[in-house]
Amino acid sequence: MAVSGFEGFEKRLELHFFGDDPAVIDMGLRQLEFESLEQVLHAVQCTVVSAVGNHYFDAYVLSESSLFVYPTKIIIKTCGTTQLLKSIRPLLHYAHHLGLTLCSCRYTRGSFIFPKAQPFPHTSFKEEVIYLEETLPSNLCYRKASVMPSKVPSHSWHVFTASNTNEAHMALTHPHIPDVLYTLEICMTELDRVLARKFFRRPNDNKTGDTAGKEMTEITGINDINPGALICDFAFDPCGYSMNGIIDGDRYSTIHVTPEDGYSYASFECVGSIYDDRDDVANVLKKVVQVFRPATMSVSTTCASHEVWTRVASALEPLGLKCRSCAMDEFPAAGSVVFQAFTARRK
């Protein structure tokens, strides 16, 4: 293990808003000027490198991971030594000017490989929770923080959620989010060395990040994970890769890769519906494992009303990944979070 290197494990923030003006809700946060988004990202210490959008949302590839902007929801996921939680205050300021009020917050992350390199407020989960408690408005009074353990020491799952009391109003503004959609957040370490080399660029290749990114998407098989997705990809120099995929309507997938040996890491995240074909989750997981072949892998499944997580182990076990632990907890506005940790049988 390297003494120090690039921190692959991301911090993820998801904020939901509501408003009384239907005209505002129709476009909502998507009305924000690009300069305003840049100000938010400046506070976090990252920038936009590529973007794509459709009728439902805008997806940005960042210098450190991803940003998704919906009319009443925003998701920011950043790696490295970014200060993600510092995005909350400017986001609340801009949302207020659009007539939007925060109604729920979810913050999640894995265990940092290099925790001592993290700046305030990410020096510890305790500090992060204190910062969230002090920054979020008082109307989000249902709050919970938890560290979900695993039997794999390098993988644990940190979750903080906060919600307002107006659950009925939230159900009206987000009729399909609480009980139909689920989110998979996958963290992979100790990637197969041969496969990880595909995420290195040749020296002086004279290619743009976009062009090199498209090549990586093809040669690694990432384009087969969600066939038909509108993909926005970017390859960093000398190594590293990020991708956002618009799958279907308002659903996305995102991949981020830190391929350096000694602290190699890749993440995959996607949104699905409980009404999807039961084989969809298994097929996606199989393709993700084939792209990276990690020695260690954790999967966090967030869903309000359905045991999607039961499909995860049955999909991964035939691929040589053994489930070492499974933890479950309930969170306000998020529903149930199930955290499963796997290791390759070769370990």
Side-chain angles (χ1 to χ4, degrees), residues 71-133:
T72 57
K73 175 175 72 174
I74 195 160
I75 298 167
I76 311 183
K77 186 170 184 172
T78 63
C79 56
T81 54
T82 50
Q83 295 169 285
L84 176 61
L85 296 182
K86 290 191 175 181
S87 67
I88 296 175
R89 285 195 176 101
L91 281 172
L92 294 182
H93 169 76
Y94 290 127
H96 175 74
H97 283 281
L98 292 172
L100 296 170
T101 303
L102 187 68
C103 59
S104 76
C105 164
R106 176 157 64 101
Y107 174 68
T108 54
R109 69 166 174 86
S111 296
F112 296 129
I113 299 171
F114 308 109
K116 291 181 180 178
Q118 290 296 316
F120 175 84
H122 299 284
T123 48
S124 69
F125 187 54
K126 181 180 178 181
E127 284 293 334
E128 290 171 321
V129 171
I130 291 171
Y131 188 89
L132 282 158
E133 295 274 13

Side-chain angles (χ1 to χ4, degrees), residues 68-311:
F68 301 97
V69 182
Y70 293 76
T72 57
K73 175 175 72 174
I74 195 160
I75 298 167
I76 311 183
K77 186 170 184 172
T78 63
C79 56
T81 54
T82 50
Q83 295 169 285
L84 176 61
L85 296 182
K86 290 191 175 181
S87 67
I88 296 175
R89 285 195 176 101
L91 281 172
L92 294 182
H93 169 76
Y94 290 127
H96 175 74
H97 283 281
L98 292 172
L100 296 170
T101 303
L102 187 68
C103 59
S104 76
C105 164
R106 176 157 64 101
Y107 174 68
T108 54
R109 69 166 174 86
S111 296
F112 296 129
I113 299 171
F114 308 109
K116 291 181 180 178
Q118 290 296 316
F120 175 84
H122 299 284
T123 48
S124 69
F125 187 54
K126 181 180 178 181
E127 284 293 334
E128 290 171 321
V129 171
I130 291 171
Y131 188 89
L132 282 158
E133 295 274 13
E134 293 175 347
T135 306
L136 293 172
S138 58
N139 67 306
L140 271 62
C141 56
Y142 287 92
R143 303 181 178 192
K144 181 173 179 176
S146 178
V147 179
M148 303 178 73
S150 81
K151 291 182 179 177
V152 181
S154 58
H155 285 254
S156 58
W157 197 241
H158 304 70
V159 185
F160 173 92
T161 66
S163 174
N164 66 357
T165 55
N166 202 348
E167 294 295 336
H169 194 129
M170 188 175 174
L172 288 172
T173 53
H174 307 292
H176 64 301
I177 287 173
D179 53 2
V180 175
L181 298 184
Y182 65 83
T183 304
L184 283 182
E185 294 172 73
I186 298 172
C187 301
M188 296 166 278
T189 53
E190 299 170 79
L191 311 181
D192 179 276
R193 290 185 180 185
V194 174
L195 296 176
R197 291 301 303 176
K198 295 181 180 180
F199 296 97
F200 282 78
R201 291 173 62 172
R202 288 191 181 90
N204 305 312
D205 61 9
N206 295 320
K207 293 173 184 172
T208 64
D210 297 290
T211 303
K214 282 179 174 49
E215 288 187 6
M216 283 185 187
T217 300
E218 294 284 334
I219 65 171
T220 58
I222 284 173
N223 58 322
D224 294 326
I225 295 175
N226 295 117
L230 175 61
I231 290 177
C232 180
D233 38 22
F234 194 89
F236 297 92
D237 195 5
C239 64
Y241 169 89
S242 287
M243 169 281 244
N244 292 332
I246 294 179
I247 302 173
D248 178 32
D250 60 355
R251 298 194 220 171
Y252 66 86
S253 66
T254 184
I255 292 175
H256 304 284
V257 187
T258 301
E260 291 97 327
D261 196 32
Y263 50 94
S264 63
Y265 171 85
S267 67
F268 174 82
E269 178 182 329
C270 69
V271 174
S273 166
I274 61 173
Y275 299 122
D276 292 342
D277 188 301
R278 286 187 62 86
D279 292 334
D280 283 3
V281 171
N283 289 335
V284 166
L285 288 169
K286 180 180 179 181
K287 290 174 182 176
V288 169
V289 169
Q290 287 173 338
V291 169
F292 299 107
R293 297 202 184 281
T296 307
M297 179 174 182
S298 65
V299 183
S300 170
T301 309
T302 303
C303 187
S305 68
H306 204 263
E307 295 184 346
V308 177
W309 65 273
T310 57
R311 305 175 198 172

